[in-house]
Short mmCIF file of all heavy atoms in Angstrom, two decimals:
data_model
loop_
_atom_site.label_atom_id
_atom_site.label_comp_id
_atom_site.label_asym_id
_atom_site.label_seq_id
_atom_site.Cartn_x
_atom_site.Cartn_y
_atom_site.Cartn_z
N MET A 202 15.48 31.69 -12.17
CA MET A 202 15.14 30.41 -12.81
C MET A 202 15.72 29.25 -12.02
O MET A 202 15.01 28.38 -11.57
CB MET A 202 15.67 30.43 -14.25
CG MET A 202 15.30 29.15 -15.03
SD MET A 202 13.52 29.04 -15.46
CE MET A 202 13.51 27.51 -16.34
N ALA A 203 17.04 29.27 -11.86
CA ALA A 203 17.70 28.19 -11.10
C ALA A 203 17.15 28.15 -9.67
O ALA A 203 16.97 27.07 -9.11
CB ALA A 203 19.21 28.40 -11.09
N TYR A 204 16.91 29.32 -9.13
CA TYR A 204 16.39 29.39 -7.77
C TYR A 204 15.01 28.73 -7.69
O TYR A 204 14.73 28.01 -6.74
CB TYR A 204 16.30 30.86 -7.34
CG TYR A 204 15.73 31.04 -5.95
CD1 TYR A 204 16.51 30.73 -4.83
CD2 TYR A 204 14.43 31.49 -5.77
CE1 TYR A 204 15.99 30.87 -3.56
CE2 TYR A 204 13.91 31.64 -4.50
CZ TYR A 204 14.69 31.33 -3.39
OH TYR A 204 14.16 31.48 -2.14
N GLU A 205 14.19 28.97 -8.70
CA GLU A 205 12.86 28.37 -8.70
C GLU A 205 12.93 26.85 -8.81
O GLU A 205 12.15 26.15 -8.18
CB GLU A 205 12.02 28.94 -9.85
CG GLU A 205 11.47 30.30 -9.51
CD GLU A 205 10.77 30.96 -10.68
OE1 GLU A 205 10.42 30.26 -11.63
OE2 GLU A 205 10.58 32.18 -10.61
N ILE A 206 13.85 26.35 -9.60
CA ILE A 206 14.02 24.90 -9.73
C ILE A 206 14.45 24.32 -8.38
O ILE A 206 13.96 23.29 -7.96
CB ILE A 206 15.04 24.56 -10.84
CG1 ILE A 206 14.43 24.88 -12.21
CG2 ILE A 206 15.44 23.09 -10.78
CD1 ILE A 206 15.38 24.80 -13.35
N LYS A 207 15.34 24.99 -7.71
CA LYS A 207 15.82 24.51 -6.41
C LYS A 207 14.66 24.47 -5.42
O LYS A 207 14.48 23.50 -4.69
CB LYS A 207 16.94 25.43 -5.90
CG LYS A 207 17.62 24.88 -4.68
CD LYS A 207 18.83 25.72 -4.31
CE LYS A 207 19.41 25.25 -3.00
NZ LYS A 207 18.93 26.01 -1.84
N ASN A 208 13.86 25.52 -5.41
CA ASN A 208 12.68 25.57 -4.54
C ASN A 208 11.74 24.42 -4.83
O ASN A 208 11.23 23.77 -3.93
CB ASN A 208 11.93 26.89 -4.76
CG ASN A 208 12.21 27.87 -3.65
OD1 ASN A 208 13.01 27.60 -2.77
ND2 ASN A 208 11.57 29.02 -3.71
N TYR A 209 11.51 24.19 -6.11
CA TYR A 209 10.63 23.12 -6.56
C TYR A 209 11.16 21.78 -6.09
O TYR A 209 10.41 20.95 -5.57
CB TYR A 209 10.52 23.17 -8.08
CG TYR A 209 9.69 22.06 -8.68
CD1 TYR A 209 8.30 22.06 -8.55
CD2 TYR A 209 10.30 21.04 -9.39
CE1 TYR A 209 7.55 21.06 -9.10
CE2 TYR A 209 9.55 20.02 -9.95
CZ TYR A 209 8.17 20.02 -9.80
OH TYR A 209 7.43 19.02 -10.35
N MET A 210 12.45 21.57 -6.24
CA MET A 210 13.08 20.33 -5.80
C MET A 210 12.88 20.13 -4.30
O MET A 210 12.63 19.03 -3.84
CB MET A 210 14.58 20.34 -6.11
CG MET A 210 14.92 20.01 -7.54
SD MET A 210 14.32 18.38 -8.06
CE MET A 210 15.34 17.32 -7.04
N GLU A 211 13.00 21.21 -3.55
CA GLU A 211 12.86 21.09 -2.10
C GLU A 211 11.45 20.71 -1.69
O GLU A 211 11.24 19.97 -0.74
CB GLU A 211 13.32 22.38 -1.41
CG GLU A 211 14.83 22.38 -1.24
CD GLU A 211 15.38 23.69 -0.71
OE1 GLU A 211 14.58 24.55 -0.28
OE2 GLU A 211 16.60 23.85 -0.75
N VAL A 212 10.48 21.21 -2.43
CA VAL A 212 9.08 20.84 -2.16
C VAL A 212 8.89 19.35 -2.44
O VAL A 212 8.28 18.64 -1.64
CB VAL A 212 8.11 21.70 -3.03
CG1 VAL A 212 6.69 21.15 -2.95
CG2 VAL A 212 8.15 23.15 -2.57
N ILE A 213 9.42 18.90 -3.56
CA ILE A 213 9.32 17.48 -3.92
C ILE A 213 9.99 16.62 -2.85
O ILE A 213 9.44 15.61 -2.40
CB ILE A 213 10.01 17.21 -5.29
CG1 ILE A 213 9.36 18.02 -6.40
CG2 ILE A 213 10.03 15.72 -5.62
CD1 ILE A 213 8.01 17.53 -6.84
N VAL A 214 11.16 17.03 -2.44
CA VAL A 214 11.92 16.27 -1.44
C VAL A 214 11.18 16.23 -0.11
O VAL A 214 11.11 15.19 0.53
CB VAL A 214 13.34 16.87 -1.26
CG1 VAL A 214 14.03 16.28 -0.04
CG2 VAL A 214 14.18 16.60 -2.51
N ASP A 215 10.60 17.35 0.27
CA ASP A 215 9.85 17.40 1.53
C ASP A 215 8.66 16.44 1.49
O ASP A 215 8.38 15.74 2.47
CB ASP A 215 9.35 18.81 1.81
CG ASP A 215 10.43 19.66 2.44
OD1 ASP A 215 11.46 19.09 2.87
OD2 ASP A 215 10.26 20.88 2.52
N GLU A 216 7.98 16.41 0.34
CA GLU A 216 6.84 15.50 0.21
C GLU A 216 7.30 14.05 0.26
O GLU A 216 6.70 13.21 0.90
CB GLU A 216 6.08 15.78 -1.09
CG GLU A 216 5.15 16.95 -0.93
CD GLU A 216 4.45 17.31 -2.22
OE1 GLU A 216 4.48 16.50 -3.17
OE2 GLU A 216 3.89 18.41 -2.28
N PHE A 217 8.39 13.79 -0.43
CA PHE A 217 8.96 12.44 -0.43
C PHE A 217 9.37 12.04 0.98
O PHE A 217 9.13 10.92 1.43
CB PHE A 217 10.17 12.40 -1.38
CG PHE A 217 10.94 11.12 -1.32
CD1 PHE A 217 10.49 9.99 -1.99
CD2 PHE A 217 12.12 11.03 -0.60
CE1 PHE A 217 11.19 8.81 -1.94
CE2 PHE A 217 12.83 9.84 -0.55
CZ PHE A 217 12.36 8.73 -1.21
N LEU A 218 9.97 12.97 1.66
CA LEU A 218 10.44 12.73 3.02
C LEU A 218 9.29 12.40 3.96
O LEU A 218 9.36 11.46 4.75
CB LEU A 218 11.16 13.98 3.51
CG LEU A 218 12.30 13.76 4.49
CD1 LEU A 218 13.38 12.91 3.86
CD2 LEU A 218 12.86 15.09 4.92
N ASN A 219 8.21 13.15 3.86
CA ASN A 219 7.02 12.87 4.68
C ASN A 219 6.53 11.45 4.43
O ASN A 219 6.14 10.75 5.36
CB ASN A 219 5.91 13.87 4.36
CG ASN A 219 6.15 15.20 5.01
OD1 ASN A 219 6.85 15.28 6.02
ND2 ASN A 219 5.57 16.25 4.45
N ASP A 220 6.54 11.07 3.15
CA ASP A 220 6.13 9.72 2.77
C ASP A 220 7.03 8.67 3.41
O ASP A 220 6.56 7.69 3.98
CB ASP A 220 6.25 9.59 1.24
CG ASP A 220 4.90 9.33 0.62
OD1 ASP A 220 3.91 9.90 1.13
OD2 ASP A 220 4.85 8.57 -0.35
N VAL A 221 8.33 8.88 3.30
CA VAL A 221 9.31 7.92 3.83
C VAL A 221 9.14 7.80 5.34
O VAL A 221 9.12 6.69 5.88
CB VAL A 221 10.75 8.37 3.48
CG1 VAL A 221 11.78 7.55 4.25
CG2 VAL A 221 10.99 8.23 1.98
N LEU A 222 8.99 8.93 6.01
CA LEU A 222 8.88 8.91 7.47
C LEU A 222 7.60 8.23 7.92
O LEU A 222 7.55 7.61 8.98
CB LEU A 222 8.96 10.34 8.03
CG LEU A 222 10.31 11.04 7.79
CD1 LEU A 222 10.29 12.43 8.41
CD2 LEU A 222 11.47 10.24 8.34
N ARG A 223 6.57 8.33 7.10
CA ARG A 223 5.31 7.68 7.43
C ARG A 223 5.42 6.16 7.24
O ARG A 223 4.89 5.39 8.02
CB ARG A 223 4.17 8.25 6.57
CG ARG A 223 3.02 8.76 7.41
CD ARG A 223 1.92 9.34 6.53
NE ARG A 223 2.32 10.60 5.89
CZ ARG A 223 2.14 10.90 4.61
NH1 ARG A 223 1.55 10.05 3.81
NH2 ARG A 223 2.52 12.06 4.13
N LYS A 224 6.11 5.77 6.16
CA LYS A 224 6.23 4.34 5.85
C LYS A 224 7.22 3.64 6.76
O LYS A 224 7.02 2.50 7.16
CB LYS A 224 6.67 4.17 4.39
CG LYS A 224 5.52 4.33 3.42
CD LYS A 224 6.01 4.14 1.98
CE LYS A 224 4.99 4.63 0.99
NZ LYS A 224 5.59 4.86 -0.34
N TYR A 225 8.32 4.33 7.06
CA TYR A 225 9.38 3.70 7.85
C TYR A 225 9.46 4.39 9.20
O TYR A 225 10.27 5.27 9.43
CB TYR A 225 10.71 3.79 7.12
CG TYR A 225 10.66 3.19 5.74
CD1 TYR A 225 10.51 4.00 4.62
CD2 TYR A 225 10.76 1.81 5.56
CE1 TYR A 225 10.44 3.46 3.34
CE2 TYR A 225 10.69 1.26 4.29
CZ TYR A 225 10.53 2.08 3.19
OH TYR A 225 10.46 1.54 1.93
N LYS A 226 8.58 3.96 10.08
CA LYS A 226 8.49 4.64 11.38
C LYS A 226 9.69 4.34 12.28
O LYS A 226 9.94 5.05 13.24
CB LYS A 226 7.19 4.24 12.08
CG LYS A 226 5.99 4.80 11.34
CD LYS A 226 4.78 4.93 12.27
CE LYS A 226 3.69 5.77 11.64
NZ LYS A 226 2.60 4.98 11.10
N ASP A 227 10.43 3.27 11.94
CA ASP A 227 11.60 2.93 12.75
C ASP A 227 12.84 3.70 12.33
O ASP A 227 13.88 3.60 12.98
CB ASP A 227 11.86 1.42 12.74
CG ASP A 227 11.91 0.86 11.34
OD1 ASP A 227 11.35 1.50 10.43
OD2 ASP A 227 12.50 -0.21 11.17
N VAL A 228 12.70 4.49 11.25
CA VAL A 228 13.83 5.33 10.84
C VAL A 228 13.97 6.48 11.83
O VAL A 228 12.98 7.04 12.29
CB VAL A 228 13.59 5.86 9.40
CG1 VAL A 228 14.49 7.04 9.08
CG2 VAL A 228 13.78 4.74 8.40
N CYS A 229 15.21 6.79 12.18
CA CYS A 229 15.46 7.89 13.10
C CYS A 229 14.94 9.20 12.51
O CYS A 229 15.17 9.49 11.34
CB CYS A 229 16.95 7.98 13.40
SG CYS A 229 17.34 9.32 14.52
N HIS A 230 14.22 10.00 13.30
CA HIS A 230 13.61 11.22 12.81
C HIS A 230 14.33 12.47 13.28
O HIS A 230 13.79 13.57 13.18
CB HIS A 230 12.15 11.30 13.28
CG HIS A 230 11.25 10.34 12.55
ND1 HIS A 230 9.87 10.45 12.60
CD2 HIS A 230 11.52 9.29 11.76
CE1 HIS A 230 9.35 9.47 11.87
NE2 HIS A 230 10.32 8.76 11.36
N CYS A 231 15.53 12.34 13.80
CA CYS A 231 16.23 13.53 14.26
C CYS A 231 16.67 14.37 13.06
O CYS A 231 16.78 13.87 11.94
CB CYS A 231 17.41 13.19 15.16
SG CYS A 231 18.86 12.59 14.29
N LYS A 232 16.94 15.64 13.29
CA LYS A 232 17.27 16.57 12.21
C LYS A 232 18.46 16.09 11.39
O LYS A 232 18.51 16.27 10.19
CB LYS A 232 17.59 17.95 12.81
CG LYS A 232 16.34 18.75 13.04
CD LYS A 232 16.68 20.18 13.39
CE LYS A 232 15.39 20.97 13.64
NZ LYS A 232 15.66 22.28 14.20
N ARG A 233 19.42 15.50 12.07
CA ARG A 233 20.61 15.05 11.38
C ARG A 233 20.31 13.95 10.38
O ARG A 233 20.75 13.99 9.24
CB ARG A 233 21.62 14.56 12.41
CG ARG A 233 23.03 14.60 11.88
CD ARG A 233 23.93 13.74 12.73
NE ARG A 233 24.92 13.14 11.87
CZ ARG A 233 26.21 13.07 12.18
NH1 ARG A 233 26.62 13.53 13.33
NH2 ARG A 233 27.05 12.52 11.35
N CYS A 234 19.55 12.95 10.81
CA CYS A 234 19.20 11.84 9.92
C CYS A 234 18.27 12.30 8.81
O CYS A 234 18.39 11.85 7.68
CB CYS A 234 18.58 10.70 10.72
SG CYS A 234 19.76 9.95 11.84
N ILE A 235 17.36 13.20 9.13
CA ILE A 235 16.45 13.71 8.11
C ILE A 235 17.24 14.46 7.04
O ILE A 235 17.00 14.30 5.85
CB ILE A 235 15.37 14.60 8.75
CG1 ILE A 235 14.34 13.70 9.44
CG2 ILE A 235 14.68 15.47 7.71
CD1 ILE A 235 13.29 14.44 10.23
N SER A 236 18.23 15.25 7.45
CA SER A 236 19.00 15.97 6.43
C SER A 236 19.88 15.01 5.64
O SER A 236 20.16 15.24 4.47
CB SER A 236 19.81 17.11 7.05
OG SER A 236 20.81 16.60 7.88
N ASP A 237 20.27 13.88 6.26
CA ASP A 237 20.99 12.83 5.52
C ASP A 237 20.09 12.24 4.43
O ASP A 237 20.52 12.07 3.30
CB ASP A 237 21.41 11.70 6.48
CG ASP A 237 22.75 12.00 7.14
OD1 ASP A 237 23.34 13.05 6.83
OD2 ASP A 237 23.17 11.19 7.96
N ILE A 238 18.88 11.91 4.79
CA ILE A 238 17.93 11.35 3.83
C ILE A 238 17.68 12.35 2.71
O ILE A 238 17.65 12.01 1.54
CB ILE A 238 16.60 10.96 4.52
CG1 ILE A 238 16.84 9.88 5.59
CG2 ILE A 238 15.59 10.49 3.50
CD1 ILE A 238 15.65 9.65 6.50
N LYS A 239 17.54 13.60 3.09
CA LYS A 239 17.32 14.67 2.11
C LYS A 239 18.48 14.75 1.12
O LYS A 239 18.27 14.83 -0.08
CB LYS A 239 17.19 16.02 2.83
CG LYS A 239 15.80 16.54 2.86
CD LYS A 239 15.81 17.97 3.37
CE LYS A 239 14.40 18.48 3.57
NZ LYS A 239 14.39 19.86 4.05
N ALA A 240 19.68 14.72 1.65
CA ALA A 240 20.86 14.80 0.79
C ALA A 240 20.91 13.62 -0.18
O ALA A 240 21.20 13.78 -1.36
CB ALA A 240 22.13 14.85 1.63
N LEU A 241 20.59 12.44 0.33
CA LEU A 241 20.56 11.24 -0.52
C LEU A 241 19.53 11.40 -1.63
O LEU A 241 19.79 11.08 -2.79
CB LEU A 241 20.23 10.01 0.31
CG LEU A 241 21.36 9.36 1.10
CD1 LEU A 241 20.82 8.25 1.97
CD2 LEU A 241 22.43 8.83 0.17
N THR A 242 18.37 11.92 -1.24
CA THR A 242 17.30 12.10 -2.22
C THR A 242 17.71 13.09 -3.30
O THR A 242 17.47 12.87 -4.48
CB THR A 242 16.04 12.61 -1.51
OG1 THR A 242 15.75 11.73 -0.42
CG2 THR A 242 14.86 12.63 -2.45
N LEU A 243 18.35 14.18 -2.89
CA LEU A 243 18.74 15.19 -3.86
C LEU A 243 19.83 14.68 -4.79
O LEU A 243 19.96 15.15 -5.91
CB LEU A 243 19.23 16.46 -3.12
CG LEU A 243 18.13 17.32 -2.52
CD1 LEU A 243 18.72 18.39 -1.62
CD2 LEU A 243 17.29 17.96 -3.61
N ASN A 244 20.61 13.72 -4.33
CA ASN A 244 21.69 13.19 -5.17
C ASN A 244 21.19 12.15 -6.16
O ASN A 244 21.92 11.82 -7.10
CB ASN A 244 22.79 12.58 -4.29
CG ASN A 244 23.61 13.67 -3.61
OD1 ASN A 244 23.68 14.79 -4.10
ND2 ASN A 244 24.21 13.34 -2.49
N ASN A 245 19.98 11.65 -5.94
CA ASN A 245 19.49 10.60 -6.85
C ASN A 245 18.62 11.16 -7.98
O ASN A 245 18.03 12.19 -7.85
CB ASN A 245 18.68 9.55 -6.08
CG ASN A 245 19.61 8.67 -5.26
OD1 ASN A 245 20.79 8.55 -5.57
ND2 ASN A 245 19.07 8.06 -4.22
ZN1 ZN B 573 19.05 10.34 13.95
#
């Protein structure tokens, strides 16, 4: 159950992330910054 919720959250975050990267092309796209954005998203 918890695992499924986590998976679901990651799908949502990935979709959100794609959106953000498309809108803000000047944002750094390296793995480190992307995981930073992901962490911020998961905390909100
Ligand atoms: Zn970066």
Side-chain angles (χ1 to χ4, degrees):
M202 183 72 179
Y204 178 74
E205 281 174 17
I206 290 171
K207 189 172 174 264
N208 258 4
Y209 177 73
M210 281 300 293
E211 276 174 11
V212 170
I213 299 287
V214 168
D215 278 348
E216 279 176 15
F217 172 79
L218 211 61
N219 282 336
D220 243 36
V221 169
L222 295 181
R223 235 179 290 134
K224 280 180 195 162
Y225 304 99
K226 292 204 167 102
D227 51 338
V228 163
C229 179
H230 287 194
C231 77
K232 276 190 181 170
R233 202 197 145 136
C234 293
I235 284 174
S236 67
D237 274 358
I238 299 168
K239 254 190 187 180
L241 279 174
T242 308
L243 285 170
N244 286 336
N245 286 337

